[in-house]
Structure formats: C-alpha cells, structure tokens
Amino acid sequence: MAKEMIAMLLAGGQGSRLYALTQNLAKPAVPFGGKYRIIDFPLSNCVNSGIDTVGILTQYQPLVLNEYIGNGQPWDLDRLHGGVHVLPPYQQASGSDWYKGTANAIYQNISFIDRYDPEYVIILSGDQICKQDYSDFLKFHKEKGAEFSVAVMEVPWEEASRFGLMVTDDNDKITEFQEKPKEPKSNLASMGIYIFNWDILRKYLEEDEADPNSENDFGNNIIPNLLRDGRDMYAYRFSGYWKDVGTIPSLWEANMEVLDPEHSGIDLFDEEWKIYSRNSGMTGHKIGETGVVENSMITDGCRINGHVKHSILFAGVKVEPGAEVEDAVVMGGTTIKAGAVVKHCIVAENVTIGENAVVGAMPDGESSGVATVGSGVEIGNGAKVGPNAMVSNNVKDGEEQW
C-alpha cells in the first residue's frame, strides 16, 4: 500500500555549538521546555499533520535518542505499515560508513523510502523548535505543481546574510538561491524543511552521489542543481513559531519564550496542537513553605524550597532553602543546594550545585554570557562559575571557573 507522503527526519547532527550539552547526547535528544526533547516537535508535527511514516536518520551519540524513540508509541507512531524507524548509517563490509552530508544520508536510505512507494517526501530537521502543519505545506506544493518546495520565513533584512535565502518571483517561484550572501536579494530564509516529488528527489540524489566533487548537501548541491535544470521550485511562506536551537543562546532564548506564549507564539499547552513526549511518569511538583516561584515553568517531580524566578525547571529538580534561581534553564534531576545562586545559565541533567556556590550572573555592562554546566557535573560548596564559563568537569569546593 503506497503512502502519499513520508517524512525523513535528519537527526544526525553533532550539535558541536551546544558544547557541554551534547558531549554524550545527539542534539535532537537535548531536553527542552520542561517535559520535552527537541525531537518531540517534528514528530508531533508529523502526527498532527497526518503523516504516519517517519525515518529518523541518526549517527552521532544515538543511544539516548534510540531509547527515547522506542517503538514510537507516545507519538502514536507504532504502526504495522509505516510508523517510526531509526535509521543509522549502514554497516558496510569494510566497517561503518558515516553519512557524508544531508543528501548522502537520504541517498543511503532510498530502499527504505521505496518500501512505501510515496508520491512525496518531506525532509525535516531534528534540531528546530517549530509548530507547523505539514499538510498545509503539501497542499501548497500540489497547487503550484511544484517538483520541489521549501518552507521559508521572512527574517529582518539586517539578519538575512546569516541564512540560506530564496529569491522568488511574484508567484513564489524560486529564481535564485543565495547561501549566506554578503548582499542579500531576499529576506526569505530557508527553514531546511523541503517537500520533493519522490521521483525527482531520487534522480538528483543518484546524480549527486555519482559526483566525486559533491559535498552531498541539500543547500550546497541539490538545490543549486535543481535551479540549474530549471525545475519547478517554490517557496512556501511560514508564519508560525520556528527557532533553530543550534547554539547555547538560542536554546536558552527558546526555553525563555515558553514562559511568554502570548508574545513568542510557542504555546506548549495548546490542546489543538499537542506536543507529545515520552514523559517521566513522575509525581507532581511541590513548592515547600520556604519556596517562592515567580513566572516560571516547574515540571513533574520538582521540589522547591528556595526562590525561583523566570526560569524553566525540568523534571525532578530540587532547590533547597535559601537557594536563588533566576533566568535559568535547569534540566532534569539536578540538585541546587542551600544558599546557592544560579542565574542566567543552562544547567544540564543530573548536576549537583553545592551549598553557597555561584553559577552564572545576571547581565551587566561588562558581561551577558550564558554560563553552561554539562550533565552529571558536581559544582563544589562555595565554588564560583563565571557568566561565560562552559563547564564539563567537576569543580572543587571553593574553586573558581571563568
């Protein structure tokens, strides 16, 4: 039974710009917004858009991700025909052959796509926070008679040179593609979400693989080749919430935007468009007699006996009496001991911050850095971690790291 459209989700990114957070974790498995991981967003979008077949292409530190996806049941993707499939690089006779680029990753899985004989393939990124109805995008693709469509967002002109840009005519047909140009001709930034007719995609993947000089990349190779051949290519304008969370500041910012859904446009409590996740099954959170919480998201299993302000606390975080937490993203299982001060920072999972320790600082004229503490790290009693520090090893009692 053929599927109209299947999704291929690129989740192999090393996430090197997330440093301490991705040393033992694939970027799409990084926790987000209290109860979620980044990959919950594209998976939930697929389910909510009626796509029931998803291939997830992994390679870097895939264990947590594979375990998290499991059989896909939390996203209603445990199907007999279709469902969710984790697709690591194939083991060749000579050993493992890593995916060389985004296009090569899809090329290596042509036989998987062929099993479902789809008319269309949507290619998604595993490191974006985005709520998008892909069925609207497909409708646009069909109405235009497109062979390739890309989702784009208008970005401020002064920021346009940071993106891959689509130059279009009045009918949204793409006439030119600029990769991070010094002088942008357009402010329509590619979101890295593509719909292809499968026969076209397959043809270009095979040609690209045969080219020894290719980087095997969609942005650098496939899209320019489609343009060169005058294919019917269209830009689909998306106006909802989208954020590439590939850097520490953008991940911190996206978490903070969860606290202000009216202005930011990301509402995790939207009953019409649920974001599904493999939740922890913990008890509810508890705010003790000495606990004070202001404008924050506190998740299951948290125990708050200190002061928490404008922060996101993931499941099972403990804040002891006298501790202060402000403008912080604190991931699951972390303990912040009595008298510690934790501000303007990201703290990964299962960290212990000792009594009277200081992590990060609120921005002032001199510094606005987001301090980052990697998973499982112990920060000693009275230790200090400066606002620009990136900590992935234990810090002893009274020691300072800047």
Side-chain angles (χ1 to χ4, degrees), residues 108-166:
Q108 284 198 34
N109 288 287
I110 283 176
S111 58
F112 169 81
I113 300 172
D114 275 343
R115 273 164 57 188
Y116 300 101
D117 189 24
E119 202 170 335
Y120 307 101
V121 175
I122 185 166
I123 292 171
L124 306 170
S125 164
D127 51 10
Q128 299 173 347
I129 304 294
C130 176
K131 289 171 76 174
Q132 181 176 11
D133 188 343
Y134 303 140
S135 58
D136 274 357
F137 186 10
L138 179 59
K139 191 171 160 221
F140 168 90
H141 180 84
K142 291 176 174 171
E143 282 172 357
K144 293 291 188 188
E147 296 172 302
F148 163 85
S149 298
V150 55
V152 295
M153 269 197 101
E154 286 193 26
V155 294
W157 278 95
E158 60 272 19
E159 290 179 30
S161 57
R162 288 177 31 220
F163 297 93
L165 303 171
M166 300 294 163

Side-chain angles (χ1 to χ4, degrees), residues 199-219:
D199 57 343
I200 295 289
L201 174 58
R202 184 189 203 153
K203 168 179 161 33
Y204 279 83
L205 288 176
E206 286 172 346
E207 284 177 12
D208 179 67
E209 191 63 25
D211 176 2
N213 299 317
S214 175
E215 295 166 58
N216 308 121
D217 183 78
F218 278 101

Side-chain angles (χ1 to χ4, degrees), residues 311-323:
S311 294
I312 289 198
L313 271 53
F314 289 69
V317 169
K318 294 181 180 64
V319 180
E320 294 186 357

Side-chain angles (χ1 to χ4, degrees), residues 367-388:
S367 170
S368 60
V370 177
T372 311
V373 180
S375 61
V377 167
E378 292 186 16
I379 306 289
N381 297 337
K384 281 195 173 171
V385 173
N388 292 305

